[in-house]
Amino acid sequence: MASVLEVQELHVSYRDGEGEERAALAGVSFDLAPGEILGVLGESGSGKSTLATALVRLLAVNGQITRGAVLFEGKNLLRAAPEELREIRGGRISLIFQEPSLALHPTMRAGEQVYQVLAAHGTSGKSALREKTRQIFAMVFPEEAERIARSYPHELSGGQRQRVLIAQAVACGPSVILADEPTASLDPTTQMEILGVFRTLREKLGVAMIFITHNPALLAGFADRVLVLYGGRVVELGPAKVLGEPRHPYTKALFQCVPAGFGGNGNARKARLPAIAGESSVSALPLKGCAYEPRCAERMDVCREREPELLSVNEGHSVSCFKYEK
């Protein structure tokens, strides 16, 4: 099956206050099949949000894509004209930001904010726009669509505001949704409800999704494949079984930091929650060798000498680690 999105050797950097260029993504490559959910996992600063915004060229003013290609339905978005990008953003590829309180306009009713998305992407006629808006709210809020549509963001809960962002994202029938930590500010029960909404939308609309998170437990039973980022590099990429059989030391360490009772274990408070030693900031990354080497409990001499390649360990499962080099 042909990919709906293909990312090739994507490099992104930011210019700091002193004019220095700092790499944020270094050679990220992956593809996304139609209807697939790809989980992107990593700590803060690993490059997850940069990846999401770079794919639709919405980087901050001090960010730039220095190399690579982003092929969407065969078109390289990095070479697309501004008018083409305006049509694709929100229409064919939607981006859901992680904080709905900031992403939603505080003085506009929720229904109007979805209405405006439809109006910006070609749906004509007020009656047609209103009817389409009603249908979208009925799909995302099956039990209280009218009340939510009439409400202002401050009158809604965090989970309801996040669903309004989801309604905006699916309004124009996109092929791909980029969800940047969409459950980060929600409690665990509401997080599971939002994941359920995404599952339903995938079943009904066939939309593909890149779901970004720092919590590996959220991806279990949800994502089809998992991509793990560290220091702007792909360190592990493979099918959902990666979550049960992680190979890279960093992926293993992330799972060790998940509370033992996340799935309902009553003994969660009896064990001390471990943390990954060391710093994950860009300034703490080594100038050469493996980016994770300073924090890795399994490091070897070679890890300081050169950067590991992404190696295939099983069909569809690749790891960037010298442990698997033949």
Side-chain angles (χ1 to χ4, degrees):
M1 182 182 296
S3 300
V4 66
L5 184 71
E6 186 176 349
V7 179
Q8 301 174 349
E9 287 292 317
L10 186 63
H11 291 253
V12 176
S13 64
Y14 289 101
R15 185 178 296 105
D16 63 20
E18 298 177 354
E20 294 286 335
E21 293 285 341
R22 295 187 178 274
L25 294 178
V28 172
S29 298
F30 64 90
D31 57 10
L32 183 71
E36 179 184 26
I37 296 178
L38 176 68
V40 177
L41 179 64
E43 294 170 284
S44 296
S46 61
K48 306 187 305 299
S49 294
T50 292
L51 174 62
T53 52
L55 294 181
V56 286
R57 286 170 53 187
L58 285 175
L59 290 168
V61 293
N62 64 329
Q64 63 173 337
I65 298 170
T66 56
R67 269 172 51 199
V70 177
L71 304 178
F72 173 66
E73 297 178 346
K75 178 185 292 292
N76 187 355
L77 299 186
L78 304 188
R79 297 180 180 176
E83 57 272 19
E84 291 180 293
L85 283 174
R86 281 193 294 270
E87 183 178 334
I88 290 170
R89 295 178 189 139
R92 305 295 296 134
I93 302 178
S94 294
L95 175 58
I96 301 175
F97 295 98
Q98 61 180 285
E99 185 44 71
S101 298
L102 299 177
L104 292 173
H105 198 293
T107 66
M108 292 176 63
R109 298 181 191 273
E112 184 65 20
Q113 300 199 46
V114 174
Y115 177 99
Q116 293 293 340
V117 172
L118 290 166
H121 287 278
T123 301
S124 59
K126 289 186 178 180
S127 60
L129 284 168
R130 295 297 179 196
E131 175 58 21
K132 182 64 174 177
T133 301
R134 187 196 65 78
Q135 293 173 2
I136 293 165
F137 272 85
M139 178 172 59
V140 180
F141 298 95
E143 298 180 356
E144 48 183 351
E146 291 186 13
R147 182 186 73 81
I148 299 294
R150 293 195 305 268
S151 299
Y152 291 98
H154 72 271
E155 297 175 314
L156 303 175
S157 68
Q160 289 168 337
R161 288 193 292 266
Q162 192 59 262
R163 289 192 189 209
V164 175
L165 289 187
I166 294 172
Q168 287 183 315
V170 302
C172 297
S175 300
V176 176
I177 291 177
L178 311 174
D180 185 11
E181 299 259 20
T183 63
S185 60
L186 306 177
D187 62 81
T189 299
T190 309
Q191 287 180 350
M192 294 301 107
E193 291 175 358
I194 295 299
L195 291 183
V197 172
F198 281 125
R199 287 192 188 95
T200 300
L201 293 175
R202 199 254 292 259
E203 292 170 0
K204 289 184 176 180
L205 306 177
V207 63
M209 189 182 311
I210 295 177
F211 187 93
I212 293 170
T213 182
H214 63 272
N215 186 351
L218 289 180
L219 299 179
F222 176 67
D224 299 307
R225 287 190 301 149
V226 177
L227 182 150
V228 184
L229 280 178
Y230 185 81
R233 298 162 174 82
V234 178
V235 296
E236 190 157 6
L237 173 62
K241 69 179 182 180
V242 167
L243 297 168
E245 304 172 8
R247 296 292 192 93
H248 196 280
Y250 176 61
T251 314
K252 295 176 184 178
L254 285 176
F255 272 89
Q256 291 170 358
C257 296
V258 175
F262 189 88
N265 184 340
N267 297 322
R269 296 185 180 181
K270 296 182 181 179
R272 183 175 180 178
L273 187 64
I276 304 175
E279 293 289 333
S280 62
S281 62
V282 173
S283 60
L285 297 178
L287 296 178
K288 72 172 186 174
C290 175
Y292 187 58
E293 183 273 331
R295 307 175 73 193
C296 184
E298 303 177 49
R299 59 182 175 266
M300 302 176 287
D301 290 341
V302 67
C303 302
R304 299 184 184 91
E305 297 170 0
R306 55 188 174 91
E307 187 176 336
E309 296 180 1
L310 198 61
L311 304 170
S312 176
V313 292
N314 282 313
E315 184 176 356
H317 188 175
S318 301
V319 181
S320 177
C321 183
F322 290 115
K323 290 171 55 183
Y324 305 100
E325 194 173 67
K326 294 181 180 179

PDB file of all heavy atoms in Angstrom, residues 216 220 226 236 239-247 251-252 255 317:
ATOM      1  N   PRO A 216       4.710   6.446  27.229  1.00  0.00           N
ATOM      2  CA  PRO A 216       4.576   5.213  26.428  1.00  0.00           C
ATOM      3  C   PRO A 216       3.330   4.414  26.755  1.00  0.00           C
ATOM      4  O   PRO A 216       2.823   3.687  25.903  1.00  0.00           O
ATOM      5  CB  PRO A 216       5.854   4.434  26.771  1.00  0.00           C
ATOM      6  CG  PRO A 216       6.340   5.004  28.054  1.00  0.00           C
ATOM      7  CD  PRO A 216       5.932   6.441  28.059  1.00  0.00           C
ATOM      8  N   ALA A 220       0.079   1.956  24.155  1.00  0.00           N
ATOM      9  CA  ALA A 220      -0.221   0.528  24.223  1.00  0.00           C
ATOM     10  C   ALA A 220      -1.681   0.275  23.837  1.00  0.00           C
ATOM     11  O   ALA A 220      -2.598   0.874  24.403  1.00  0.00           O
ATOM     12  CB  ALA A 220       0.055  -0.001  25.625  1.00  0.00           C
ATOM     13  N   VAL A 226       5.430   2.538  16.430  1.00  0.00           N
ATOM     14  CA  VAL A 226       5.995   3.497  17.374  1.00  0.00           C
ATOM     15  C   VAL A 226       7.342   3.985  16.851  1.00  0.00           C
ATOM     16  O   VAL A 226       8.175   3.177  16.411  1.00  0.00           O
ATOM     17  CB  VAL A 226       6.180   2.873  18.773  1.00  0.00           C
ATOM     18  CG1 VAL A 226       6.832   3.863  19.729  1.00  0.00           C
ATOM     19  CG2 VAL A 226       4.839   2.409  19.332  1.00  0.00           C
ATOM     20  N   GLU A 236      14.537   4.294  17.679  1.00  0.00           N
ATOM     21  CA  GLU A 236      13.836   3.023  17.512  1.00  0.00           C
ATOM     22  C   GLU A 236      12.558   3.266  16.725  1.00  0.00           C
ATOM     23  O   GLU A 236      11.865   4.262  16.923  1.00  0.00           O
ATOM     24  CB  GLU A 236      13.523   2.379  18.863  1.00  0.00           C
ATOM     25  CG  GLU A 236      13.004   0.964  18.768  1.00  0.00           C
ATOM     26  CD  GLU A 236      13.204   0.132  20.032  1.00  0.00           C
ATOM     27  OE1 GLU A 236      13.666   0.698  21.053  1.00  0.00           O
ATOM     28  OE2 GLU A 236      12.916  -1.078  20.006  1.00  0.00           O
ATOM     29  N   PRO A 239       6.810  -1.909  14.805  1.00  0.00           N
ATOM     30  CA  PRO A 239       5.397  -2.167  15.078  1.00  0.00           C
ATOM     31  C   PRO A 239       5.083  -2.017  16.564  1.00  0.00           C
ATOM     32  O   PRO A 239       5.977  -1.860  17.399  1.00  0.00           O
ATOM     33  CB  PRO A 239       5.214  -3.611  14.600  1.00  0.00           C
ATOM     34  CG  PRO A 239       6.578  -4.212  14.668  1.00  0.00           C
ATOM     35  CD  PRO A 239       7.528  -3.107  14.345  1.00  0.00           C
ATOM     36  N   ALA A 240       3.809  -2.099  16.900  1.00  0.00           N
ATOM     37  CA  ALA A 240       3.363  -1.853  18.269  1.00  0.00           C
ATOM     38  C   ALA A 240       4.042  -2.762  19.297  1.00  0.00           C
ATOM     39  O   ALA A 240       4.138  -2.400  20.469  1.00  0.00           O
ATOM     40  CB  ALA A 240       1.847  -2.009  18.357  1.00  0.00           C
ATOM     41  N   LYS A 241       4.549  -3.908  18.879  1.00  0.00           N
ATOM     42  CA  LYS A 241       5.211  -4.798  19.823  1.00  0.00           C
ATOM     43  C   LYS A 241       6.476  -4.176  20.417  1.00  0.00           C
ATOM     44  O   LYS A 241       6.994  -4.680  21.433  1.00  0.00           O
ATOM     45  CB  LYS A 241       5.545  -6.134  19.160  1.00  0.00           C
ATOM     46  CG  LYS A 241       6.634  -6.066  18.084  1.00  0.00           C
ATOM     47  CD  LYS A 241       6.917  -7.440  17.507  1.00  0.00           C
ATOM     48  CE  LYS A 241       8.030  -7.389  16.467  1.00  0.00           C
ATOM     49  NZ  LYS A 241       8.332  -8.712  15.897  1.00  0.00           N
ATOM     50  N   VAL A 242       6.967  -3.082  19.807  1.00  0.00           N
ATOM     51  CA  VAL A 242       8.086  -2.337  20.400  1.00  0.00           C
ATOM     52  C   VAL A 242       7.762  -1.969  21.837  1.00  0.00           C
ATOM     53  O   VAL A 242       8.624  -1.951  22.712  1.00  0.00           O
ATOM     54  CB  VAL A 242       8.374  -1.063  19.574  1.00  0.00           C
ATOM     55  CG1 VAL A 242       9.293  -0.109  20.335  1.00  0.00           C
ATOM     56  CG2 VAL A 242       8.992  -1.433  18.234  1.00  0.00           C
ATOM     57  N   LEU A 243       6.480  -1.688  22.098  1.00  0.00           N
ATOM     58  CA  LEU A 243       6.072  -1.282  23.438  1.00  0.00           C
ATOM     59  C   LEU A 243       6.241  -2.411  24.451  1.00  0.00           C
ATOM     60  O   LEU A 243       6.478  -2.161  25.629  1.00  0.00           O
ATOM     61  CB  LEU A 243       4.609  -0.825  23.414  1.00  0.00           C
ATOM     62  CG  LEU A 243       4.335   0.408  22.541  1.00  0.00           C
ATOM     63  CD1 LEU A 243       2.849   0.597  22.337  1.00  0.00           C
ATOM     64  CD2 LEU A 243       4.958   1.640  23.150  1.00  0.00           C
ATOM     65  N   GLY A 244       6.129  -3.657  23.989  1.00  0.00           N
ATOM     66  CA  GLY A 244       6.307  -4.787  24.889  1.00  0.00           C
ATOM     67  C   GLY A 244       7.704  -5.361  24.855  1.00  0.00           C
ATOM     68  O   GLY A 244       8.128  -6.031  25.803  1.00  0.00           O
ATOM     69  N   GLU A 245       8.423  -5.106  23.763  1.00  0.00           N
ATOM     70  CA  GLU A 245       9.771  -5.645  23.602  1.00  0.00           C
ATOM     71  C   GLU A 245      10.733  -4.554  23.137  1.00  0.00           C
ATOM     72  O   GLU A 245      11.307  -4.646  22.048  1.00  0.00           O
ATOM     73  CB  GLU A 245       9.760  -6.791  22.586  1.00  0.00           C
ATOM     74  CG  GLU A 245       8.799  -7.923  22.921  1.00  0.00           C
ATOM     75  CD  GLU A 245       8.691  -8.930  21.790  1.00  0.00           C
ATOM     76  OE1 GLU A 245       9.464  -8.831  20.820  1.00  0.00           O
ATOM     77  OE2 GLU A 245       7.817  -9.805  21.867  1.00  0.00           O
ATOM     78  N   PRO A 246      10.920  -3.510  23.925  1.00  0.00           N
ATOM     79  CA  PRO A 246      11.834  -2.434  23.496  1.00  0.00           C
ATOM     80  C   PRO A 246      13.261  -2.932  23.404  1.00  0.00           C
ATOM     81  O   PRO A 246      13.708  -3.721  24.231  1.00  0.00           O
ATOM     82  CB  PRO A 246      11.669  -1.380  24.597  1.00  0.00           C
ATOM     83  CG  PRO A 246      11.212  -2.144  25.787  1.00  0.00           C
ATOM     84  CD  PRO A 246      10.362  -3.255  25.263  1.00  0.00           C
ATOM     85  N   ARG A 247      14.004  -2.444  22.406  1.00  0.00           N
ATOM     86  CA  ARG A 247      15.391  -2.870  22.207  1.00  0.00           C
ATOM     87  C   ARG A 247      16.394  -1.778  22.583  1.00  0.00           C
ATOM     88  O   ARG A 247      17.455  -2.074  23.115  1.00  0.00           O
ATOM     89  CB  ARG A 247      15.610  -3.277  20.743  1.00  0.00           C
ATOM     90  CG  ARG A 247      14.792  -4.483  20.296  1.00  0.00           C
ATOM     91  CD  ARG A 247      15.253  -5.758  20.972  1.00  0.00           C
ATOM     92  NE  ARG A 247      14.678  -6.939  20.365  1.00  0.00           N
ATOM     93  CZ  ARG A 247      15.257  -7.653  19.399  1.00  0.00           C
ATOM     94  NH1 ARG A 247      16.442  -7.289  18.928  1.00  0.00           N
ATOM     95  NH2 ARG A 247      14.678  -8.703  18.899  1.00  0.00           N
ATOM     96  N   THR A 251      14.505   3.530  25.057  1.00  0.00           N
ATOM     97  CA  THR A 251      13.117   3.072  25.089  1.00  0.00           C
ATOM     98  C   THR A 251      12.856   2.259  26.352  1.00  0.00           C
ATOM     99  O   THR A 251      11.822   2.419  27.007  1.00  0.00           O
ATOM    100  CB  THR A 251      12.792   2.232  23.842  1.00  0.00           C
ATOM    101  OG1 THR A 251      13.293   2.877  22.671  1.00  0.00           O
ATOM    102  CG2 THR A 251      11.300   2.033  23.699  1.00  0.00           C
ATOM    103  N   LYS A 252      13.792   1.392  26.707  1.00  0.00           N
ATOM    104  CA  LYS A 252      13.646   0.611  27.935  1.00  0.00           C
ATOM    105  C   LYS A 252      13.559   1.529  29.151  1.00  0.00           C
ATOM    106  O   LYS A 252      12.727   1.321  30.053  1.00  0.00           O
ATOM    107  CB  LYS A 252      14.837  -0.344  28.095  1.00  0.00           C
ATOM    108  CG  LYS A 252      14.941  -1.419  27.037  1.00  0.00           C
ATOM    109  CD  LYS A 252      16.205  -2.245  27.251  1.00  0.00           C
ATOM    110  CE  LYS A 252      16.413  -3.267  26.154  1.00  0.00           C
ATOM    111  NZ  LYS A 252      17.685  -4.037  26.332  1.00  0.00           N
ATOM    112  N   PHE A 255      10.159   3.192  29.640  1.00  0.00           N
ATOM    113  CA  PHE A 255       9.154   2.299  30.221  1.00  0.00           C
ATOM    114  C   PHE A 255       9.369   2.095  31.718  1.00  0.00           C
ATOM    115  O   PHE A 255       8.413   1.933  32.470  1.00  0.00           O
ATOM    116  CB  PHE A 255       9.154   0.950  29.497  1.00  0.00           C
ATOM    117  CG  PHE A 255       8.260   0.932  28.304  1.00  0.00           C
ATOM    118  CD1 PHE A 255       8.737   1.317  27.067  1.00  0.00           C
ATOM    119  CD2 PHE A 255       6.936   0.574  28.412  1.00  0.00           C
ATOM    120  CE1 PHE A 255       7.912   1.327  25.961  1.00  0.00           C
ATOM    121  CE2 PHE A 255       6.098   0.585  27.314  1.00  0.00           C
ATOM    122  CZ  PHE A 255       6.584   0.956  26.082  1.00  0.00           C
ATOM    123  N   HIS A 317      11.294  -3.526  12.175  1.00  0.00           N
ATOM    124  CA  HIS A 317      11.743  -3.016  13.485  1.00  0.00           C
ATOM    125  C   HIS A 317      13.217  -2.633  13.385  1.00  0.00           C
ATOM    126  O   HIS A 317      14.066  -3.484  13.106  1.00  0.00           O
ATOM    127  CB  HIS A 317      11.537  -4.090  14.556  1.00  0.00           C
ATOM    128  CG  HIS A 317      11.790  -3.608  15.951  1.00  0.00           C
ATOM    129  ND1 HIS A 317      11.557  -4.406  17.062  1.00  0.00           N
ATOM    130  CD2 HIS A 317      12.256  -2.423  16.440  1.00  0.00           C
ATOM    131  CE1 HIS A 317      11.872  -3.725  18.154  1.00  0.00           C
ATOM    132  NE2 HIS A 317      12.300  -2.529  17.794  1.00  0.00           N
TER     133      HIS A 317
END
